[in-house]
Amino acid sequence: MAPTFPEIVAGAAQLPDATASDGEPVVWDATAGVPLVRAVAVSSAFPGVEPPVAVDGRRYRDGALRDGTNIDLAAGARTVAVIDPLAHRHPRPMTDGAHLVTPDSAAVLLLDAEQGGPEAWTAAYQAGEAQAGAASEELRAHWRPATDPGRRAPGHPAPASLHLGRCGEVD
């Protein structure tokens, strides 16, 4: 079996996904016993692009099909950072203690242009990069280090969700 979550992300990475049959939420983390590459592949399984991915006989798909941010899965966490590049298109209620990072007006114009290709992607990336400094300062004011014993609410998982990007085929 492939290694599970590397130590560097084991305490923080949570990949929200859903069963392909009924949309039941599942969160892959270091305790799930699923190799990280498989969990990332599930998070890339989007209809019309990538088929559902099997884990222990069940098929799963990207959790964004259930909910764009899956913020409800972080209920009870002390601090949650939600990075939602499409928040301007799909507003949703936030959980108490959640900090939403959305594209600024320059990035929204680029995202709404619906232009494909490397030039458009580069411009959108650069707009996000320009916004990152201010967003990181805002989040830093609310974030608590992992060593802070008050970081988590009792009985709740890690306070952040990290959705990792695409990977190659695993089947």
Side-chain angles (χ1 to χ4, degrees):
M1 176 181 256
T4 57
F5 286 54
E7 190 173 312
I8 193 161
V9 296
Q14 297 179 330
L15 288 85
D17 291 310
T19 58
S21 60
D22 61 8
E24 179 185 337
V26 62
V27 178
W28 308 113
D29 63 13
T31 65
V34 174
L36 179 61
V37 68
R38 174 82 45 179
V40 171
V42 170
S43 288
S44 301
F46 200 88
V49 179
E50 296 291 335
V53 174
V55 177
D56 294 330
R58 291 187 76 185
R59 299 190 73 68
Y60 297 91
R61 60 192 175 133
D62 186 351
L65 294 166
R66 176 187 167 272
D67 183 286
T69 64
N70 289 286
I71 188 72
D72 61 308
L73 299 177
R78 242 184 124 98
T79 303
V80 179
V82 178
I83 300 169
D84 188 356
L86 300 177
H88 64 288
R89 291 185 184 170
H90 309 286
R92 60 181 48 87
M94 295 301 293
T95 300
D96 286 343
H99 303 281
L100 179 63
V101 178
T102 62
D104 61 17
S105 57
V108 166
L109 289 174
L110 292 165
L111 290 168
D112 283 349
E114 297 285 344
Q115 298 175 25
E119 287 180 17
W121 301 331
T122 299
Y125 173 83
Q126 289 169 340
E129 190 174 45
Q131 183 184 353
S136 66
E137 288 303 315
E138 179 185 332
L139 291 174
R140 190 172 286 118
H142 302 284
W143 204 256
R144 299 178 85 166
T147 56
D148 185 337
R151 178 177 177 206
R152 298 180 189 174
H156 290 281
S161 178
L162 173 63
H163 183 90
L164 303 173
R166 288 180 57 86
C167 70
E169 291 183 28
V170 294
D171 285 333

